[in-house]
Amino acid sequence: MTPLRALLPAASLLLLSATPTWAVLGQPAASVASDQQRLGGERRSIAADDFSVEEIHSAAGTVVREYVAPGGQVFAVSWRGLTRPDLRSLLGEHFAEFERASRSSARGRRPLVVRTDQLVVETGGHVRDLRGRAYLPALLPEGVSPAAVR
Amino acid sequence: MRSRPVLRLLSVVSLLAGCGSGTGGSDSGGGAVNNVLPIQVSFGPADDLVNGLYTSVTICVPGTESCQTIDGVAVDTGSVGLRLLASRVSLPLPRMTDASGNALANCASFADNSYTWGPMATADIRLAGEQAGSVPVQIIGAPSFAGAPDDCSSGGTAEDTVSALAANGILGLGVFRQDCGAACSGGRVPPLYFSCPVGAPCAATAVPLAKQLQNPVWLFPQDNNGVLVSLPAIPATGAPTVAGSLIFGIGTQSNNSLGGAKVYTTDDVGNFSTVFEGQTYSSSYIDTGSNGLYFQDSDTIGLPACPDGDSDFSCPPSTLSLTATTIGHNGSSGGVAFSVANAESLFRSNNAAFNDLGGPDTGDFDWGLPFFFGRPTFIAIEGQSTTGGTGPYWAY
């Protein structure tokens, strides 16, 4: 298992970066502000019992949700819109794992489900409505099911 | 795995010099236009896709009789517009430019995290006896053209070869007139259309509706309000290949009347609802371009995934007969009976067509190609009036 806590210092780098980047899966939520800047959209926070959701509505029509555990880490992301957000940024260090695993999955123009020991990524939808979500099962707050990520 | 060695080289392109009216189109007597385009379910030009739906498309340099027919083009009601692999296009189609004279390019993203990227060109599109003139199309993987910008690729997989695309092109016949619509014609636009100046990076740009990728059907002079996908019923064990028809128009000729088909309208992004095992899937859709019935099964009936490389499909120990209720945006509802068989057993048959292939999805219900076998389905285009009302809708 990847020691995710070791990544905490990356948060300040994200905020200082000249090119705003995404808050990424498994990292602290501090960089949500730069996501908002990049998307040029409105942001609102939704508090739930076991986690909070930072929702960013981009002016270009994509909604990205970042699910933050009580400890402050992003344990899941979801997206929906005319286009797909950049999964390299959104998945961060987990992107390589996603790429490796998705290469072995079956082909066809159809929804994609990628599961590894650490990561679940699902993409789907159709023209004008592309959707997906990614989460780290090990970081799901206690009592929260993957179905809460939508 | 369904991948298999390519056993033969398919002759995928035939160049028809001066094909003229020889596309098998018009009735000689000046009666109704031939509105029936043959379609096939097969392994496709890459010889490895199950439940791929294909047809042949004739394109011409606009306003000329310089034409070419490309076979193995995927018929996809989950996307909009004609996209062709550059390697399969031999005609010198005129490229499109923006107001500043820079090349225009298009980016399409698909459900499986893949994308197509390439310059826009115009072509006359001939399907059966129908023709749409000077239609914007996408040329995928054009040599010597700028690579996909980051906000197009977005961590997706490029589908710019026959083997990656499992087709020579995609004929997108979804419920919309354009792939993007008003969202791409002004304001802060999403990264679907790009302006590509010489010597500078491509940048997302606004494109008026008329210059966007088009569903060619709504541009036909007649039979332009939608299509009817007609595929025969097949056995539960599958069929080696299946031949069917794509019939243009709804209620415009004797072969495309709605009859007893019920109309299910879609919402503004092309979804309706499916209720299955007590759960409502509000982002549900019907799509010839999906090769199975994909729905989130783990929270409902717990269909097991197939092992190893086939985990994108379901492998119940024995075939399940199931029923769901589809509900249109207009409130009309009706039951749909379907089956999910063990995908690995199906694949061992060496058949290409299955009406009971299933797999998981992310909280949606994707009625893919198995839906269509033995269930004639109408797809009405947004803003087009029909005997069953104005599109967008599905009817079956």
PDB file of all heavy atoms in Angstrom, chain A residues 39 80 83-84 87-88 107-111 113 123 126-129 131, chain B residues 48 78 111-113 150 154 159 163 178 188 192 269 271 283 289 294 364:
ATOM      1  N   LEU A  39     -10.840  26.060 -13.284  1.00  0.00           N
ATOM      2  CA  LEU A  39     -12.112  25.836 -13.956  1.00  0.00           C
ATOM      3  C   LEU A  39     -12.873  27.137 -14.179  1.00  0.00           C
ATOM      4  O   LEU A  39     -13.801  27.189 -14.967  1.00  0.00           O
ATOM      5  CB  LEU A  39     -12.975  24.877 -13.127  1.00  0.00           C
ATOM      6  CG  LEU A  39     -12.545  23.419 -13.167  1.00  0.00           C
ATOM      7  CD1 LEU A  39     -13.174  22.643 -12.033  1.00  0.00           C
ATOM      8  CD2 LEU A  39     -12.905  22.793 -14.499  1.00  0.00           C
ATOM      9  N   ARG A  80     -18.873  15.305 -14.222  1.00  0.00           N
ATOM     10  CA  ARG A  80     -19.978  15.165 -15.150  1.00  0.00           C
ATOM     11  C   ARG A  80     -20.025  16.394 -16.042  1.00  0.00           C
ATOM     12  O   ARG A  80     -19.888  17.514 -15.556  1.00  0.00           O
ATOM     13  CB  ARG A  80     -21.294  15.062 -14.372  1.00  0.00           C
ATOM     14  CG  ARG A  80     -22.505  14.947 -15.265  1.00  0.00           C
ATOM     15  CD  ARG A  80     -23.704  14.440 -14.519  1.00  0.00           C
ATOM     16  NE  ARG A  80     -24.690  13.982 -15.477  1.00  0.00           N
ATOM     17  CZ  ARG A  80     -25.761  13.295 -15.165  1.00  0.00           C
ATOM     18  NH1 ARG A  80     -25.990  12.974 -13.915  1.00  0.00           N
ATOM     19  NH2 ARG A  80     -26.608  12.905 -16.094  1.00  0.00           N
ATOM     20  N   THR A  83     -17.394  17.475 -21.333  1.00  0.00           N
ATOM     21  CA  THR A  83     -16.076  16.899 -21.542  1.00  0.00           C
ATOM     22  C   THR A  83     -15.598  16.262 -20.248  1.00  0.00           C
ATOM     23  O   THR A  83     -16.172  16.480 -19.184  1.00  0.00           O
ATOM     24  CB  THR A  83     -15.052  17.967 -21.977  1.00  0.00           C
ATOM     25  OG1 THR A  83     -15.023  18.979 -20.977  1.00  0.00           O
ATOM     26  CG2 THR A  83     -15.425  18.574 -23.318  1.00  0.00           C
ATOM     27  N   ARG A  84     -14.514  15.522 -20.361  1.00  0.00           N
ATOM     28  CA  ARG A  84     -13.934  14.853 -19.204  1.00  0.00           C
ATOM     29  C   ARG A  84     -12.832  15.737 -18.647  1.00  0.00           C
ATOM     30  O   ARG A  84     -12.037  16.274 -19.405  1.00  0.00           O
ATOM     31  CB  ARG A  84     -13.352  13.540 -19.703  1.00  0.00           C
ATOM     32  CG  ARG A  84     -12.945  12.552 -18.659  1.00  0.00           C
ATOM     33  CD  ARG A  84     -12.463  11.274 -19.316  1.00  0.00           C
ATOM     34  NE  ARG A  84     -11.540  11.508 -20.407  1.00  0.00           N
ATOM     35  CZ  ARG A  84     -11.682  11.058 -21.635  1.00  0.00           C
ATOM     36  NH1 ARG A  84     -12.729  10.342 -21.943  1.00  0.00           N
ATOM     37  NH2 ARG A  84     -10.805  11.310 -22.573  1.00  0.00           N
ATOM     38  N   LEU A  87      -7.749  13.550 -16.274  1.00  0.00           N
ATOM     39  CA  LEU A  87      -7.579  12.503 -15.260  1.00  0.00           C
ATOM     40  C   LEU A  87      -6.147  12.414 -14.752  1.00  0.00           C
ATOM     41  O   LEU A  87      -5.903  11.934 -13.651  1.00  0.00           O
ATOM     42  CB  LEU A  87      -8.036  11.151 -15.808  1.00  0.00           C
ATOM     43  CG  LEU A  87      -9.517  11.037 -16.169  1.00  0.00           C
ATOM     44  CD1 LEU A  87      -9.890   9.590 -16.454  1.00  0.00           C
ATOM     45  CD2 LEU A  87     -10.398  11.585 -15.057  1.00  0.00           C
ATOM     46  N   ARG A  88      -5.174  12.895 -15.551  1.00  0.00           N
ATOM     47  CA  ARG A  88      -3.792  12.880 -15.070  1.00  0.00           C
ATOM     48  C   ARG A  88      -3.677  13.741 -13.819  1.00  0.00           C
ATOM     49  O   ARG A  88      -3.022  13.367 -12.839  1.00  0.00           O
ATOM     50  CB  ARG A  88      -2.847  13.397 -16.156  1.00  0.00           C
ATOM     51  CG  ARG A  88      -2.640  12.401 -17.281  1.00  0.00           C
ATOM     52  CD  ARG A  88      -2.012  13.059 -18.479  1.00  0.00           C
ATOM     53  NE  ARG A  88      -2.879  14.129 -19.018  1.00  0.00           N
ATOM     54  CZ  ARG A  88      -2.841  14.555 -20.262  1.00  0.00           C
ATOM     55  NH1 ARG A  88      -1.988  14.043 -21.104  1.00  0.00           N
ATOM     56  NH2 ARG A  88      -3.663  15.497 -20.681  1.00  0.00           N
ATOM     57  N   ARG A 107     -12.216  -4.155 -24.567  1.00  0.00           N
ATOM     58  CA  ARG A 107     -12.382  -2.993 -25.419  1.00  0.00           C
ATOM     59  C   ARG A 107     -13.818  -2.828 -25.900  1.00  0.00           C
ATOM     60  O   ARG A 107     -14.654  -3.680 -25.714  1.00  0.00           O
ATOM     61  CB  ARG A 107     -11.467  -3.127 -26.613  1.00  0.00           C
ATOM     62  CG  ARG A 107     -11.731  -4.417 -27.369  1.00  0.00           C
ATOM     63  CD  ARG A 107     -10.782  -4.583 -28.484  1.00  0.00           C
ATOM     64  NE  ARG A 107     -10.847  -3.432 -29.348  1.00  0.00           N
ATOM     65  CZ  ARG A 107      -9.957  -3.170 -30.290  1.00  0.00           C
ATOM     66  NH1 ARG A 107      -8.935  -3.966 -30.431  1.00  0.00           N
ATOM     67  NH2 ARG A 107     -10.084  -2.143 -31.068  1.00  0.00           N
ATOM     68  N   GLY A 108     -14.040  -1.712 -26.530  1.00  0.00           N
ATOM     69  CA  GLY A 108     -15.366  -1.411 -27.026  1.00  0.00           C
ATOM     70  C   GLY A 108     -15.747  -0.031 -26.553  1.00  0.00           C
ATOM     71  O   GLY A 108     -15.180   0.468 -25.589  1.00  0.00           O
ATOM     72  N   ARG A 109     -16.660   0.612 -27.250  1.00  0.00           N
ATOM     73  CA  ARG A 109     -17.089   1.937 -26.821  1.00  0.00           C
ATOM     74  C   ARG A 109     -18.189   1.749 -25.797  1.00  0.00           C
ATOM     75  O   ARG A 109     -19.325   1.537 -26.118  1.00  0.00           O
ATOM     76  CB  ARG A 109     -17.559   2.744 -28.031  1.00  0.00           C
ATOM     77  CG  ARG A 109     -17.654   4.224 -27.753  1.00  0.00           C
ATOM     78  CD  ARG A 109     -17.473   5.056 -28.993  1.00  0.00           C
ATOM     79  NE  ARG A 109     -16.132   4.924 -29.498  1.00  0.00           N
ATOM     80  CZ  ARG A 109     -15.772   4.109 -30.478  1.00  0.00           C
ATOM     81  NH1 ARG A 109     -16.660   3.376 -31.071  1.00  0.00           N
ATOM     82  NH2 ARG A 109     -14.530   4.047 -30.857  1.00  0.00           N
ATOM     83  N   ARG A 110     -17.810   1.801 -24.518  1.00  0.00           N
ATOM     84  CA  ARG A 110     -18.676   1.353 -23.463  1.00  0.00           C
ATOM     85  C   ARG A 110     -18.118   1.864 -22.147  1.00  0.00           C
ATOM     86  O   ARG A 110     -16.991   2.323 -22.087  1.00  0.00           O
ATOM     87  CB  ARG A 110     -18.678  -0.162 -23.441  1.00  0.00           C
ATOM     88  CG  ARG A 110     -17.280  -0.711 -23.772  1.00  0.00           C
ATOM     89  CD  ARG A 110     -16.821  -1.819 -22.911  1.00  0.00           C
ATOM     90  NE  ARG A 110     -17.119  -1.618 -21.536  1.00  0.00           N
ATOM     91  CZ  ARG A 110     -17.380  -2.588 -20.707  1.00  0.00           C
ATOM     92  NH1 ARG A 110     -17.355  -3.821 -21.134  1.00  0.00           N
ATOM     93  NH2 ARG A 110     -17.632  -2.334 -19.451  1.00  0.00           N
ATOM     94  N   PRO A 111     -18.911   1.808 -21.092  1.00  0.00           N
ATOM     95  CA  PRO A 111     -18.389   2.266 -19.807  1.00  0.00           C
ATOM     96  C   PRO A 111     -17.169   1.451 -19.385  1.00  0.00           C
ATOM     97  O   PRO A 111     -17.053   0.271 -19.706  1.00  0.00           O
ATOM     98  CB  PRO A 111     -19.549   2.035 -18.851  1.00  0.00           C
ATOM     99  CG  PRO A 111     -20.756   1.948 -19.715  1.00  0.00           C
ATOM    100  CD  PRO A 111     -20.303   1.347 -21.004  1.00  0.00           C
ATOM    101  N   VAL A 113     -14.669   0.200 -16.247  1.00  0.00           N
ATOM    102  CA  VAL A 113     -14.530  -0.017 -14.808  1.00  0.00           C
ATOM    103  C   VAL A 113     -13.137  -0.562 -14.555  1.00  0.00           C
ATOM    104  O   VAL A 113     -12.779  -1.604 -15.090  1.00  0.00           O
ATOM    105  CB  VAL A 113     -15.585  -1.012 -14.279  1.00  0.00           C
ATOM    106  CG1 VAL A 113     -15.398  -1.219 -12.774  1.00  0.00           C
ATOM    107  CG2 VAL A 113     -16.992  -0.523 -14.574  1.00  0.00           C
ATOM    108  N   THR A 123     -15.652   5.212 -15.707  1.00  0.00           N
ATOM    109  CA  THR A 123     -16.008   6.271 -16.642  1.00  0.00           C
ATOM    110  C   THR A 123     -17.178   5.790 -17.488  1.00  0.00           C
ATOM    111  O   THR A 123     -17.328   4.598 -17.728  1.00  0.00           O
ATOM    112  CB  THR A 123     -14.843   6.651 -17.569  1.00  0.00           C
ATOM    113  OG1 THR A 123     -14.573   5.563 -18.456  1.00  0.00           O
ATOM    114  CG2 THR A 123     -13.573   6.949 -16.774  1.00  0.00           C
ATOM    115  N   HIS A 126     -22.194   9.431 -22.554  1.00  0.00           N
ATOM    116  CA  HIS A 126     -22.336   9.521 -24.008  1.00  0.00           C
ATOM    117  C   HIS A 126     -22.213  10.980 -24.399  1.00  0.00           C
ATOM    118  O   HIS A 126     -21.961  11.831 -23.535  1.00  0.00           O
ATOM    119  CB  HIS A 126     -23.701   8.966 -24.431  1.00  0.00           C
ATOM    120  CG  HIS A 126     -24.850   9.529 -23.654  1.00  0.00           C
ATOM    121  ND1 HIS A 126     -25.425  10.744 -23.952  1.00  0.00           N
ATOM    122  CD2 HIS A 126     -25.488   9.095 -22.538  1.00  0.00           C
ATOM    123  CE1 HIS A 126     -26.396  10.997 -23.081  1.00  0.00           C
ATOM    124  NE2 HIS A 126     -26.446  10.016 -22.213  1.00  0.00           N
ATOM    125  N   VAL A 127     -22.396  11.261 -25.677  1.00  0.00           N
ATOM    126  CA  VAL A 127     -22.260  12.627 -26.161  1.00  0.00           C
ATOM    127  C   VAL A 127     -23.097  13.584 -25.300  1.00  0.00           C
ATOM    128  O   VAL A 127     -24.240  13.296 -24.966  1.00  0.00           O
ATOM    129  CB  VAL A 127     -22.662  12.715 -27.660  1.00  0.00           C
ATOM    130  CG1 VAL A 127     -24.128  12.351 -27.871  1.00  0.00           C
ATOM    131  CG2 VAL A 127     -22.369  14.088 -28.225  1.00  0.00           C
ATOM    132  N   ARG A 128     -22.500  14.700 -24.899  1.00  0.00           N
ATOM    133  CA  ARG A 128     -23.105  15.757 -24.076  1.00  0.00           C
ATOM    134  C   ARG A 128     -23.287  15.362 -22.611  1.00  0.00           C
ATOM    135  O   ARG A 128     -23.783  16.159 -21.809  1.00  0.00           O
ATOM    136  CB  ARG A 128     -24.454  16.237 -24.646  1.00  0.00           C
ATOM    137  CG  ARG A 128     -24.300  16.862 -26.017  1.00  0.00           C
ATOM    138  CD  ARG A 128     -25.466  17.755 -26.328  1.00  0.00           C
ATOM    139  NE  ARG A 128     -25.400  18.226 -27.715  1.00  0.00           N
ATOM    140  CZ  ARG A 128     -26.266  19.058 -28.253  1.00  0.00           C
ATOM    141  NH1 ARG A 128     -27.278  19.508 -27.524  1.00  0.00           N
ATOM    142  NH2 ARG A 128     -26.144  19.445 -29.491  1.00  0.00           N
ATOM    143  N   ASP A 129     -22.937  14.156 -22.242  1.00  0.00           N
ATOM    144  CA  ASP A 129     -23.104  13.758 -20.838  1.00  0.00           C
ATOM    145  C   ASP A 129     -22.078  12.691 -20.472  1.00  0.00           C
ATOM    146  O   ASP A 129     -22.389  11.506 -20.390  1.00  0.00           O
ATOM    147  CB  ASP A 129     -24.533  13.241 -20.600  1.00  0.00           C
ATOM    148  CG  ASP A 129     -24.815  13.005 -19.122  1.00  0.00           C
ATOM    149  OD1 ASP A 129     -24.163  13.660 -18.285  1.00  0.00           O
ATOM    150  OD2 ASP A 129     -25.682  12.167 -18.811  1.00  0.00           O
ATOM    151  N   ARG A 131     -19.510  11.081 -17.760  1.00  0.00           N
ATOM    152  CA  ARG A 131     -19.522  10.998 -16.302  1.00  0.00           C
ATOM    153  C   ARG A 131     -18.438  10.047 -15.822  1.00  0.00           C
ATOM    154  O   ARG A 131     -17.951   9.207 -16.578  1.00  0.00           O
ATOM    155  CB  ARG A 131     -20.873  10.478 -15.815  1.00  0.00           C
ATOM    156  CG  ARG A 131     -22.041  11.318 -16.214  1.00  0.00           C
ATOM    157  CD  ARG A 131     -23.325  10.790 -15.604  1.00  0.00           C
ATOM    158  NE  ARG A 131     -23.758   9.527 -16.182  1.00  0.00           N
ATOM    159  CZ  ARG A 131     -24.495   9.410 -17.269  1.00  0.00           C
ATOM    160  NH1 ARG A 131     -24.864  10.488 -17.919  1.00  0.00           N
ATOM    161  NH2 ARG A 131     -24.871   8.240 -17.725  1.00  0.00           N
TER     162      ARG A 131
ATOM    163  N   ASP B  48     -12.035  -8.090 -33.904  1.00  0.00           N
ATOM    164  CA  ASP B  48     -11.956  -8.520 -32.505  1.00  0.00           C
ATOM    165  C   ASP B  48     -12.996  -7.905 -31.569  1.00  0.00           C
ATOM    166  O   ASP B  48     -12.865  -7.990 -30.361  1.00  0.00           O
ATOM    167  CB  ASP B  48     -10.559  -8.247 -31.951  1.00  0.00           C
ATOM    168  CG  ASP B  48     -10.296  -6.763 -31.780  1.00  0.00           C
ATOM    169  OD1 ASP B  48     -11.101  -5.964 -32.287  1.00  0.00           O
ATOM    170  OD2 ASP B  48      -9.300  -6.414 -31.143  1.00  0.00           O
ATOM    171  N   GLY B  78     -24.768   6.836 -29.644  1.00  0.00           N
ATOM    172  CA  GLY B  78     -24.313   7.522 -28.435  1.00  0.00           C
ATOM    173  C   GLY B  78     -23.405   8.705 -28.738  1.00  0.00           C
ATOM    174  O   GLY B  78     -22.909   9.350 -27.815  1.00  0.00           O
ATOM    175  N   ALA B 111     -17.188   7.017 -23.651  1.00  0.00           N
ATOM    176  CA  ALA B 111     -17.468   6.421 -22.341  1.00  0.00           C
ATOM    177  C   ALA B 111     -16.272   5.661 -21.768  1.00  0.00           C
ATOM    178  O   ALA B 111     -16.050   5.649 -20.563  1.00  0.00           O
ATOM    179  CB  ALA B 111     -18.664   5.480 -22.455  1.00  0.00           C
ATOM    180  N   ASP B 112     -15.489   5.041 -22.641  1.00  0.00           N
ATOM    181  CA  ASP B 112     -14.412   4.165 -22.170  1.00  0.00           C
ATOM    182  C   ASP B 112     -13.116   4.932 -21.939  1.00  0.00           C
ATOM    183  O   ASP B 112     -12.041   4.339 -21.931  1.00  0.00           O
ATOM    184  CB  ASP B 112     -14.183   3.035 -23.182  1.00  0.00           C
ATOM    185  CG  ASP B 112     -13.812   3.573 -24.557  1.00  0.00           C
ATOM    186  OD1 ASP B 112     -13.872   4.794 -24.762  1.00  0.00           O
ATOM    187  OD2 ASP B 112     -13.462   2.753 -25.428  1.00  0.00           O
ATOM    188  N   ASN B 113     -13.227   6.262 -21.772  1.00  0.00           N
ATOM    189  CA  ASN B 113     -12.056   7.105 -21.516  1.00  0.00           C
ATOM    190  C   ASN B 113     -11.149   7.221 -22.729  1.00  0.00           C
ATOM    191  O   ASN B 113      -9.979   7.553 -22.609  1.00  0.00           O
ATOM    192  CB  ASN B 113     -11.261   6.599 -20.300  1.00  0.00           C
ATOM    193  CG  ASN B 113     -10.288   7.647 -19.773  1.00  0.00           C
ATOM    194  OD1 ASN B 113     -10.628   8.824 -19.716  1.00  0.00           O
ATOM    195  ND2 ASN B 113      -9.098   7.231 -19.415  1.00  0.00           N
ATOM    196  N   ASP B 150      -3.589  18.936 -24.372  1.00  0.00           N
ATOM    197  CA  ASP B 150      -3.816  18.273 -23.089  1.00  0.00           C
ATOM    198  C   ASP B 150      -5.283  18.276 -22.677  1.00  0.00           C
ATOM    199  O   ASP B 150      -5.780  17.310 -22.095  1.00  0.00           O
ATOM    200  CB  ASP B 150      -2.997  18.958 -21.988  1.00  0.00           C
ATOM    201  CG  ASP B 150      -1.540  18.516 -22.038  1.00  0.00           C
ATOM    202  OD1 ASP B 150      -1.230  17.614 -22.831  1.00  0.00           O
ATOM    203  OD2 ASP B 150      -0.741  19.083 -21.281  1.00  0.00           O
ATOM    204  N   SER B 154      -6.693  14.657 -22.002  1.00  0.00           N
ATOM    205  CA  SER B 154      -7.186  14.565 -20.619  1.00  0.00           C
ATOM    206  C   SER B 154      -6.917  13.221 -19.962  1.00  0.00           C
ATOM    207  O   SER B 154      -7.725  12.734 -19.173  1.00  0.00           O
ATOM    208  CB  SER B 154      -8.701  14.848 -20.557  1.00  0.00           C
ATOM    209  OG  SER B 154      -8.954  16.189 -20.850  1.00  0.00           O
ATOM    210  N   GLU B 159      -7.763   6.999 -29.971  1.00  0.00           N
ATOM    211  CA  GLU B 159      -8.272   5.978 -30.884  1.00  0.00           C
ATOM    212  C   GLU B 159      -8.060   6.487 -32.297  1.00  0.00           C
ATOM    213  O   GLU B 159      -8.967   7.040 -32.917  1.00  0.00           O
ATOM    214  CB  GLU B 159      -9.746   5.694 -30.594  1.00  0.00           C
ATOM    215  CG  GLU B 159      -9.947   5.116 -29.208  1.00  0.00           C
ATOM    216  CD  GLU B 159     -11.204   4.289 -29.067  1.00  0.00           C
ATOM    217  OE1 GLU B 159     -12.222   4.685 -29.646  1.00  0.00           O
ATOM    218  OE2 GLU B 159     -11.162   3.261 -28.366  1.00  0.00           O
ATOM    219  N   SER B 163      -7.092  -0.585 -35.304  1.00  0.00           N
ATOM    220  CA  SER B 163      -7.097  -1.527 -34.192  1.00  0.00           C
ATOM    221  C   SER B 163      -7.552  -0.863 -32.888  1.00  0.00           C
ATOM    222  O   SER B 163      -8.247  -1.475 -32.081  1.00  0.00           O
ATOM    223  CB  SER B 163      -5.719  -2.188 -34.075  1.00  0.00           C
ATOM    224  OG  SER B 163      -4.983  -1.675 -33.025  1.00  0.00           O
ATOM    225  N   GLN B 178     -26.161  18.435 -33.357  1.00  0.00           N
ATOM    226  CA  GLN B 178     -24.704  18.621 -33.344  1.00  0.00           C
ATOM    227  C   GLN B 178     -24.101  17.863 -32.170  1.00  0.00           C
ATOM    228  O   GLN B 178     -24.791  17.550 -31.203  1.00  0.00           O
ATOM    229  CB  GLN B 178     -24.335  20.104 -33.217  1.00  0.00           C
ATOM    230  CG  GLN B 178     -24.696  20.959 -34.423  1.00  0.00           C
ATOM    231  CD  GLN B 178     -26.068  21.576 -34.318  1.00  0.00           C
ATOM    232  OE1 GLN B 178     -26.647  21.643 -33.230  1.00  0.00           O
ATOM    233  NE2 GLN B 178     -26.614  22.015 -35.449  1.00  0.00           N
ATOM    234  N   ARG B 188     -17.712  30.943 -22.540  1.00  0.00           N
ATOM    235  CA  ARG B 188     -16.579  30.101 -22.128  1.00  0.00           C
ATOM    236  C   ARG B 188     -16.855  28.681 -22.614  1.00  0.00           C
ATOM    237  O   ARG B 188     -17.696  27.983 -22.057  1.00  0.00           O
ATOM    238  CB  ARG B 188     -16.444  30.148 -20.599  1.00  0.00           C
ATOM    239  CG  ARG B 188     -15.414  29.185 -20.057  1.00  0.00           C
ATOM    240  CD  ARG B 188     -14.175  29.878 -19.574  1.00  0.00           C
ATOM    241  NE  ARG B 188     -13.130  28.907 -19.252  1.00  0.00           N
ATOM    242  CZ  ARG B 188     -12.833  28.542 -18.009  1.00  0.00           C
ATOM    243  NH1 ARG B 188     -13.457  29.067 -16.982  1.00  0.00           N
ATOM    244  NH2 ARG B 188     -11.885  27.666 -17.800  1.00  0.00           N
ATOM    245  N   LEU B 192     -13.984  21.190 -26.922  1.00  0.00           N
ATOM    246  CA  LEU B 192     -14.405  20.273 -27.983  1.00  0.00           C
ATOM    247  C   LEU B 192     -13.926  20.729 -29.350  1.00  0.00           C
ATOM    248  O   LEU B 192     -13.575  19.924 -30.197  1.00  0.00           O
ATOM    249  CB  LEU B 192     -15.938  20.150 -28.021  1.00  0.00           C
ATOM    250  CG  LEU B 192     -16.547  19.041 -27.174  1.00  0.00           C
ATOM    251  CD1 LEU B 192     -16.673  19.495 -25.745  1.00  0.00           C
ATOM    252  CD2 LEU B 192     -17.890  18.619 -27.727  1.00  0.00           C
ATOM    253  N   VAL B 269     -29.864  16.358 -21.964  1.00  0.00           N
ATOM    254  CA  VAL B 269     -28.566  15.764 -22.297  1.00  0.00           C
ATOM    255  C   VAL B 269     -28.709  14.351 -22.872  1.00  0.00           C
ATOM    256  O   VAL B 269     -27.723  13.637 -23.036  1.00  0.00           O
ATOM    257  CB  VAL B 269     -27.584  15.761 -21.090  1.00  0.00           C
ATOM    258  CG1 VAL B 269     -27.218  17.182 -20.705  1.00  0.00           C
ATOM    259  CG2 VAL B 269     -28.145  14.991 -19.904  1.00  0.00           C
ATOM    260  N   ASN B 271     -30.894  11.664 -21.804  1.00  0.00           N
ATOM    261  CA  ASN B 271     -31.138  10.536 -20.899  1.00  0.00           C
ATOM    262  C   ASN B 271     -32.624  10.373 -20.631  1.00  0.00           C
ATOM    263  O   ASN B 271     -33.398  11.326 -20.720  1.00  0.00           O
ATOM    264  CB  ASN B 271     -30.443  10.773 -19.541  1.00  0.00           C
ATOM    265  CG  ASN B 271     -28.929  10.716 -19.642  1.00  0.00           C
ATOM    266  OD1 ASN B 271     -28.377   9.860 -20.324  1.00  0.00           O
ATOM    267  ND2 ASN B 271     -28.269  11.633 -18.962  1.00  0.00           N
ATOM    268  N   SER B 283     -29.910   8.493 -15.182  1.00  0.00           N
ATOM    269  CA  SER B 283     -29.017   8.764 -16.313  1.00  0.00           C
ATOM    270  C   SER B 283     -28.915   7.511 -17.163  1.00  0.00           C
ATOM    271  O   SER B 283     -27.888   6.856 -17.225  1.00  0.00           O
ATOM    272  CB  SER B 283     -27.633   9.186 -15.825  1.00  0.00           C
ATOM    273  OG  SER B 283     -27.719  10.345 -15.053  1.00  0.00           O
ATOM    274  N   GLY B 289     -23.723   2.051 -29.866  1.00  0.00           N
ATOM    275  CA  GLY B 289     -22.260   2.037 -29.780  1.00  0.00           C
ATOM    276  C   GLY B 289     -21.722   1.342 -28.543  1.00  0.00           C
ATOM    277  O   GLY B 289     -20.521   1.136 -28.420  1.00  0.00           O
ATOM    278  N   TYR B 294     -25.054  -2.442 -19.872  1.00  0.00           N
ATOM    279  CA  TYR B 294     -24.191  -2.069 -18.763  1.00  0.00           C
ATOM    280  C   TYR B 294     -24.994  -1.367 -17.685  1.00  0.00           C
ATOM    281  O   TYR B 294     -25.606  -0.331 -17.924  1.00  0.00           O
ATOM    282  CB  TYR B 294     -23.046  -1.189 -19.264  1.00  0.00           C
ATOM    283  CG  TYR B 294     -22.151  -1.927 -20.226  1.00  0.00           C
ATOM    284  CD1 TYR B 294     -22.199  -1.673 -21.590  1.00  0.00           C
ATOM    285  CD2 TYR B 294     -21.296  -2.916 -19.768  1.00  0.00           C
ATOM    286  CE1 TYR B 294     -21.397  -2.381 -22.473  1.00  0.00           C
ATOM    287  CE2 TYR B 294     -20.488  -3.628 -20.645  1.00  0.00           C
ATOM    288  CZ  TYR B 294     -20.546  -3.354 -21.983  1.00  0.00           C
ATOM    289  OH  TYR B 294     -19.752  -4.058 -22.856  1.00  0.00           O
ATOM    290  N   ASP B 364     -25.261   4.087 -13.773  1.00  0.00           N
ATOM    291  CA  ASP B 364     -26.155   4.380 -14.881  1.00  0.00           C
ATOM    292  C   ASP B 364     -26.762   3.088 -15.391  1.00  0.00           C
ATOM    293  O   ASP B 364     -26.437   2.016 -14.905  1.00  0.00           O
ATOM    294  CB  ASP B 364     -25.380   5.026 -16.038  1.00  0.00           C
ATOM    295  CG  ASP B 364     -24.560   6.207 -15.573  1.00  0.00           C
ATOM    296  OD1 ASP B 364     -25.031   6.912 -14.679  1.00  0.00           O
ATOM    297  OD2 ASP B 364     -23.461   6.396 -16.115  1.00  0.00           O
TER     298      ASP B 364
END
